[in-house]
Amino acid sequence: MPDTTLYYARTGNSLRAAVAVELAGIEARKRELNLAGGEHKQDGFLELNPAGAVPVLVERDGDDTMVLTQSGAIMNHLVERHRPDLWPAAPADKSRCMASFIAALSDVAVQNGLARYLESMPEASRFVFDRLTDSIRAAFAPVAEQPFLCGESKTVADYAHLPVIYMREHALTDMPEFEHVIAWLARMKDDAAVARAVEYAGAQLK
C-alpha cells in the first residue's frame, strides 16, 4: 500500500477529502495546516500545491509519488481504488450520480465558499447564499422521495455533498423547506466514516 499523507484544514473541501480517506479505510498521516498562520503559503507546502490550497493528498509508493490537489479528484481516486461499490453499477444510474457529484463540487461548493467569504458585504453574501440554497434545493429534490441522492443506498454523491450541508446545518435547520435535507444529514452523520472525518476536519457556520 502507498505511504499516504493528507494535508487539510477545517474547510468544506478538506472535509470531503477526509471523508474519502475514511471511506477508503487506509492508514494516512494527517497534517492539519494553520490557514490563519499562513502555513498553506509556505515554500514546503507550495512545492506540493503551487495554488496554496487544501486539501492535498500525497501517495508515495517506492520511487513513485502522486500528488492530488482537488477534493473531488481525491474522493474519486480513493473511491475508485477502495470503494467502487459507492458508484451505481448501471451506466445510466452512474451518470445521474456523477451529475450530482459534479454539482456538489461546482455549483454548491463554489457558492458556499463565496457566501462565506463575502460576509463583509451583506448584500453580496445574501445574493450568493440565495443562489446556494437554490442549488441545494435542486440537488436534493430526490431526497424528498428516497433516503439518499441516488436511491436507497449511499453513493459517492452523498459523500461529496456532505461538507456543505454539514457546514450550513444551522442555517438550513431554520428553513422548513429543507427539512428533508436535514433528515438526510442525520442519516449521513450516522456513518462511521463521516463521524471520523468530521472529528478532525469538520467545520460549521453559525
CSV table of all heavy atoms in Angstrom, one decimal, residues 33 95 127 129 133 137 146 175 179 186 195:
chain,number,residue,atom,x,y,z
A,33,LEU,N,-3.1,22.1,8.5
A,33,LEU,CA,-2.4,23.3,8.3
A,33,LEU,C,-3.2,24.5,9.0
A,33,LEU,O,-4.4,24.5,8.9
A,33,LEU,CB,-2.3,23.6,6.8
A,33,LEU,CG,-1.5,22.6,6.0
A,33,LEU,CD1,-1.3,23.1,4.6
A,33,LEU,CD2,-0.2,22.3,6.6
A,95,SER,N,-24.3,7.7,-14.4
A,95,SER,CA,-24.2,9.0,-15.0
A,95,SER,C,-25.1,10.0,-14.2
A,95,SER,O,-24.6,11.2,-14.0
A,95,SER,CB,-24.8,8.9,-16.4
A,95,SER,OG,-23.9,8.2,-17.2
A,127,PHE,N,-27.1,37.5,-1.7
A,127,PHE,CA,-27.3,37.1,-3.0
A,127,PHE,C,-26.8,35.7,-3.4
A,127,PHE,O,-27.4,34.9,-3.9
A,127,PHE,CB,-26.8,38.2,-4.0
A,127,PHE,CG,-26.9,37.8,-5.5
A,127,PHE,CD1,-28.1,37.9,-6.2
A,127,PHE,CD2,-25.8,37.2,-6.1
A,127,PHE,CE1,-28.2,37.5,-7.5
A,127,PHE,CE2,-25.9,36.8,-7.5
A,127,PHE,CZ,-27.1,37.0,-8.1
A,129,PHE,N,-25.8,33.5,-1.1
A,129,PHE,CA,-26.4,32.4,-0.3
A,129,PHE,C,-27.8,32.0,-0.9
A,129,PHE,O,-28.1,30.8,-0.9
A,129,PHE,CB,-26.6,33.0,1.1
A,129,PHE,CG,-27.2,32.0,2.1
A,129,PHE,CD1,-26.4,31.0,2.6
A,129,PHE,CD2,-28.6,32.0,2.4
A,129,PHE,CE1,-27.0,30.0,3.5
A,129,PHE,CE2,-29.1,31.1,3.2
A,129,PHE,CZ,-28.3,30.1,3.8
A,133,THR,N,-28.8,28.2,-1.8
A,133,THR,CA,-30.0,27.4,-1.4
A,133,THR,C,-30.8,27.0,-2.6
A,133,THR,O,-31.3,25.9,-2.6
A,133,THR,CB,-30.8,28.2,-0.5
A,133,THR,OG1,-31.2,29.5,-1.0
A,133,THR,CG2,-30.1,28.5,0.9
A,137,ARG,N,-31.5,23.1,-3.2
A,137,ARG,CA,-32.9,22.7,-3.4
A,137,ARG,C,-33.0,21.8,-4.6
A,137,ARG,O,-33.7,20.7,-4.6
A,137,ARG,CB,-33.8,23.9,-3.6
A,137,ARG,CG,-35.3,23.6,-3.7
A,137,ARG,CD,-36.1,24.9,-3.9
A,137,ARG,NE,-36.0,25.8,-2.7
A,137,ARG,CZ,-35.3,26.9,-2.8
A,137,ARG,NH1,-34.6,27.3,-3.9
A,137,ARG,NH2,-35.2,27.7,-1.7
A,146,GLN,N,-36.7,9.7,-1.4
A,146,GLN,CA,-35.9,8.5,-1.2
A,146,GLN,C,-34.8,8.9,-0.2
A,146,GLN,O,-34.5,10.1,0.0
A,146,GLN,CB,-35.3,8.0,-2.5
A,146,GLN,CG,-34.4,9.1,-3.2
A,146,GLN,CD,-34.0,8.7,-4.6
A,146,GLN,OE1,-34.8,8.1,-5.3
A,146,GLN,NE2,-32.9,9.2,-5.0
A,175,MET,N,-34.8,26.7,8.0
A,175,MET,CA,-35.6,26.9,6.8
A,175,MET,C,-36.4,25.6,6.6
A,175,MET,O,-35.9,24.6,6.2
A,175,MET,CB,-34.7,27.1,5.6
A,175,MET,CG,-33.7,28.3,5.8
A,175,MET,SD,-32.4,28.5,4.6
A,175,MET,CE,-33.4,29.0,3.2
A,179,GLU,N,-36.3,20.6,5.4
A,179,GLU,CA,-36.4,19.5,6.5
A,179,GLU,C,-35.9,18.2,6.0
A,179,GLU,O,-35.3,17.4,6.7
A,179,GLU,CB,-37.9,19.4,6.9
A,179,GLU,CG,-38.1,18.4,8.0
A,179,GLU,CD,-39.6,18.4,8.4
A,179,GLU,OE1,-40.4,19.3,8.0
A,179,GLU,OE2,-39.9,17.5,9.2
A,186,ALA,N,-28.8,13.8,9.0
A,186,ALA,CA,-28.8,13.0,10.2
A,186,ALA,C,-28.4,11.5,9.8
A,186,ALA,O,-27.7,10.9,10.5
A,186,ALA,CB,-30.2,13.0,10.9
A,195,ALA,N,-18.4,10.3,10.6
A,195,ALA,CA,-18.1,10.7,12.0
A,195,ALA,C,-16.6,10.9,12.3
A,195,ALA,O,-16.2,11.9,12.9
A,195,ALA,CB,-18.7,9.7,13.0
